[in-house]
Amino acid sequence: MSLTGNIAVVTGGAAGIGYAIVEALLEQGASVMIFDLNGIVAAEAAASLSKQYKGRVASCPGSVTSTSDLDAAFDSAEGLFGPVDVLINNAGFSTIAPLMHLTEEDWTRVLSVLTTGPFLGTKILANRAVKHGIPANVVNTSSLNYKAATNGLAHYCTAKAGVSQFTKVAASELGQYGIRVNAVAPGLVRTNLTESAGLTTGLSGQRFLERTPLGRVGEPRDVAKVVAFLVSSDAGWITGQTISVDGGNEIR
Ligand code: NAD
């Protein structure tokens, strides 16, 4: 597998699964723009990775909910590296609350980042790739919650089901331009998102492990390697799929 010559924008690339994806793409030879709401951490990540991958990694602050922020990241990547042909729609977060107490504000914020974000990014990537006449690739970070219902996560589960359905429609519409669109559905992965909510150690961690044949929580790299494969030409006849990366949790 080689991604030499590919130019990627990774949303939410400053931490967790996104950071591991940035590393995996760089390792395979791609150039990467880290796009993240946390501009300071993103800049630190780019500076640190630049030591090993000189001239192939940079960062841009912004929110996936803003077309102008995303456009700025694509402009910056194009200026530094050339036309973008890979987009990883990975940025995400959630709050936790039972349905009867979930606020409309939290519902809207989570849906906006998790579903509107990938829509805006994919639209920008597709229009630019078609304009440049180049094939391209999108990978969306979905979740096992695209199928599984978890109490307290009505907004998150609804959004991730949307991500996987969006993946299919985008793949269906964009295949004619040589643009593949896939998603990964991680199980419980050790990141800030899950550690800060006590998910890997608490009852939900225990429940996850009971239902998981491979018997461990995931590491960001477990997911990142699958994303790099989906972007590569080795996956050149795969599109519209949501690939579970969850230690087998989904089969039980
Ligand atoms: P994380 O909190 O470690 O990292 C998320 C990154 O996204 C952060 O750097 C954050 O600043 C950035 N971000 C948040 N909102 C943003 C916005 N509006 N615009 C740009 N950047 C933004 O989280 P993670 O666990 O690495 O999660 C990454 C993705 O993986 C998310 O989509 C999440 O839903 C999904 N996921 C995670 C798990 C898990 O167990 N960790 C499981 C399934 C799916």
Side-chain angles (χ1 to χ4, degrees), residues 1-4 6 28-29 232-234:
M1 176 181 19
S2 168
L3 301 179
T4 301
N6 287 111
Q28 297 304 323
S232 78
S233 59
D234 289 353

Side-chain angles (χ1 to χ4, degrees), residues 85-164:
D85 61 358
V86 175
L87 172 65
I88 313 298
N89 287 311
N90 165 80
F93 83 105
S94 192
T95 55
I96 302 177
L99 176 57
M100 289 170 70
H101 299 287
L102 183 58
T103 63
E104 191 178 340
E105 190 197 351
D106 276 6
W107 173 274
T108 306
R109 275 196 316 142
V110 167
L111 266 287
S112 174
V113 172
L114 296 189
T115 61
T116 308
F119 155 62
L120 296 177
T122 304
K123 184 177 167 187
I124 291 170
L125 173 93
N127 278 298
R128 288 182 182 234
V130 169
K131 191 180 103 196
H132 288 296
I134 54 173
N137 251 287
V138 178
V139 180
N140 300 316
T141 308
S142 184
S143 161
L144 61 72
N145 282 124
Y146 91 97
K147 282 196 210 164
T150 299
N151 292 0
L153 290 180
H155 46 354
Y156 185 84
C157 294
T158 303
K160 290 303 189 182
V163 169
S164 289

Side-chain angles (χ1 to χ4, degrees), residues 12 16-17 36-37 62-64 90 141-142 156 160 186-187 189 191 193-194:
I17 294 171
D36 203 288
L37 198 57
S63 174
V64 292
N90 165 80
T141 308
S142 184
Y156 185 84
K160 290 303 189 182
V189 177
T191 67
L193 186 81
T194 50

